[in-house]
Amino acid sequence: MAAREVDHRAPEPPYRQIAADLAADIERGDLAPGRPLPSEKELTELYGVARETARRALALLRERGLIYTVTGRGSYVTEPAEQTGEGDGRADA
């Protein structure tokens, strides 16, 4: 993934901008079901944000049911049938 920018002056917080960007990648199929997302560390480098900002973006995607996290392994795109917007209950981190 190429470096991406966050607009720190926008009314929407950076973590929501990152989550929206990743959600768009998922919807387009750029991040396919079952495939891993960039790690928190990779997201901090891609977007030039703090680790907590990246963590909040991933948490928002989990809440929406777009991803799930496996402790020690990373976050993965859920299968389309699981993407209900309600969260899939598989997050263990």
Side-chain angles (χ1 to χ4, degrees), residues 11-87:
E12 186 172 43
Y15 80 95
R16 288 190 173 274
Q17 293 176 51
I18 295 168
D21 197 32
L22 294 172
D25 287 349
I26 291 169
E27 290 169 12
R28 274 194 312 272
D30 294 343
L31 291 171
R35 303 301 305 166
L37 270 70
S39 68
E40 288 177 4
K41 183 176 189 265
E42 291 169 327
L43 290 174
T44 64
E45 294 169 1
L46 282 170
Y47 290 95
V49 296
R51 191 164 194 150
E52 182 60 25
T53 302
R55 188 172 290 139
R56 289 180 73 186
L58 293 174
L60 185 56
L61 293 173
R62 262 194 312 277
E63 289 172 17
R64 293 180 179 168
L66 295 174
I67 67 169
Y68 64 96
T69 301
V70 178
T71 303
R73 304 273 310 173
S75 296
Y76 299 84
V77 179
T78 58
E79 295 295 327
E82 297 171 356
Q83 294 176 6
T84 62
E86 297 291 322

